[in-house]
Amino acid sequence: MVLADRVSKSFGANKVLRSISLSVDAGEVLCIVGPSGSGKSTFLRCINHLERVDAGRLSVEGQLVGYREKGGRLYELKPKEAAFQRREIGMVFQRFNLFPHLTAVENIIQAPMRVKRMSKAKATARAMELMERVGLGDKGDYYPAHLSGGQQQRVAIARALAMDPKLMLFDEPTSALDPELVGEVLDVMKGLAKSGMTMIVVTHEMGFAREVADSLVFMDGGVVVESGDPRQVLTAPQHGRTKAFLSKVL
């Protein structure tokens, strides 16, 4: 489903990603962990071309992300073409980014109506199905200000699912939540994993990674330091840097 081949990214003199190579199969859940500033979120943003890569290639289902190849050279897609490609990649951010003047359902139906030209009636019916799926079936007419942080994040997940993505990206989706609200969001994500959704999750929730992930990557300094089965990496890491990090978070 996802293939990264020697992906590099710099911001000025700061090399954020240094030749990252990894793959994610269809239906697989990959968790990426590591200290702040290790390049995790930047890598996630490169997958849907919210950030341009400086070197290497990223593809989803065999299709280059953000670029086309011609004569052995890569040419960046026009913004409209990249946006069209991005429709099939859902992303959930740390912050919920809901429109405050729209209800939960109104937030969810915007993209299907505007991008997929879905009728309002069909989009609303689908939105209500998704609200039920994330455990908020009775909150459809609530505005974001009247929802808890955990509820807002669940609406954000429903909004991403409304486009029927083939891949879901989660960028530390629980980091902005009060501790007692984390579980309700993780439960929704566990349900998605059980349904067979391909997911790449940047997280600090080691329990979630251990329970749900099929594979785990530890990043530091813009490189993949260690990867493998989550239980193996978390309980018996092979690299000293991984051991040092986990000793502080487990």
Side-chain angles (χ1 to χ4, degrees):
M1 176 67 79
V2 180
L3 179 63
D5 179 22
R6 297 168 290 178
V7 172
S8 296
K9 172 67 180 178
S10 297
F11 294 104
N14 183 21
K15 295 183 178 180
V16 180
L17 300 176
R18 301 168 183 262
S19 196
I20 298 287
S21 294
L22 56 83
S23 62
V24 182
D25 292 333
E28 182 180 352
V29 178
L30 168 68
C31 280
I32 304 176
V33 302
S36 297
S38 59
K40 309 183 301 296
S41 294
T42 298
F43 176 68
L44 212 63
R45 291 171 65 86
C46 286
I47 293 175
N48 62 3
H49 202 57
L50 289 177
E51 296 287 355
R52 298 182 181 93
V53 300
D54 296 329
R57 298 171 181 233
L58 269 166
S59 59
V60 175
E61 280 197 329
Q63 183 178 12
L64 281 173
V65 174
Y67 297 88
R68 69 165 57 89
E69 186 172 9
K70 186 176 181 180
R73 296 183 63 183
L74 296 183
Y75 297 88
E76 187 174 9
L77 297 180
K78 295 178 181 178
K80 197 169 185 178
E81 294 174 308
F84 182 83
Q85 194 178 59
R86 199 178 288 128
R87 298 185 315 166
E88 297 185 317
I89 304 174
M91 187 159 185
V92 178
F93 300 86
Q94 297 178 35
R95 297 292 175 181
F96 325 122
N97 298 323
L98 300 177
F99 295 114
H101 63 292
L102 300 179
T103 65
V105 163
E106 288 170 343
N107 266 279
I108 295 170
I109 68 177
Q110 297 305 307
M113 288 175 57
R114 294 172 183 267
V115 179
K116 289 193 169 183
R117 305 300 182 190
M118 190 180 292
S119 70
K120 184 174 182 180
K122 186 175 180 180
T124 300
R126 173 66 172 150
M128 291 307 301
E129 290 177 6
L130 291 169
M131 287 290 283
E132 288 284 353
R133 184 174 182 179
V134 299
L136 295 171
D138 60 340
K139 306 289 186 184
D141 59 351
Y142 280 49
Y143 288 91
H146 301 141
L147 298 172
S148 70
Q151 290 170 335
Q152 290 185 61
Q153 191 63 296
R154 284 187 278 162
V155 173
I157 293 173
R159 179 180 57 185
L161 292 173
M163 292 295 286
D164 295 315
K166 56 191 175 186
L167 169 67
M168 284 285 286
L169 309 176
F170 293 86
D171 187 9
E172 299 187 23
T174 60
S175 65
L177 301 178
D178 292 333
E180 65 268 24
L181 302 178
V182 169
E184 62 191 45
V185 174
L186 293 181
D187 285 344
V188 171
M189 294 170 63
K190 291 174 185 177
L192 284 177
K194 288 179 181 177
S195 74
M197 175 64 74
T198 308
M199 299 163 57
I200 302 179
V201 185
V202 171
T203 185
H204 293 298
E205 300 293 336
M206 300 301 165
F208 174 84
R210 182 186 291 109
E211 179 182 351
V212 179
D214 298 295
S215 56
L216 183 141
V217 164
F218 171 66
M219 285 181 62
D220 188 32
V223 301
V224 173
V225 176
E226 190 166 346
S227 63
D229 180 272
R231 275 66 58 183
Q232 175 67 29
V233 175
L234 292 174
T235 58
Q238 300 301 302
H239 196 283
R241 182 65 187 95
T242 314
K243 293 178 182 178
F245 173 77
L246 293 176
S247 70
K248 297 176 182 177
V249 298
L250 292 178

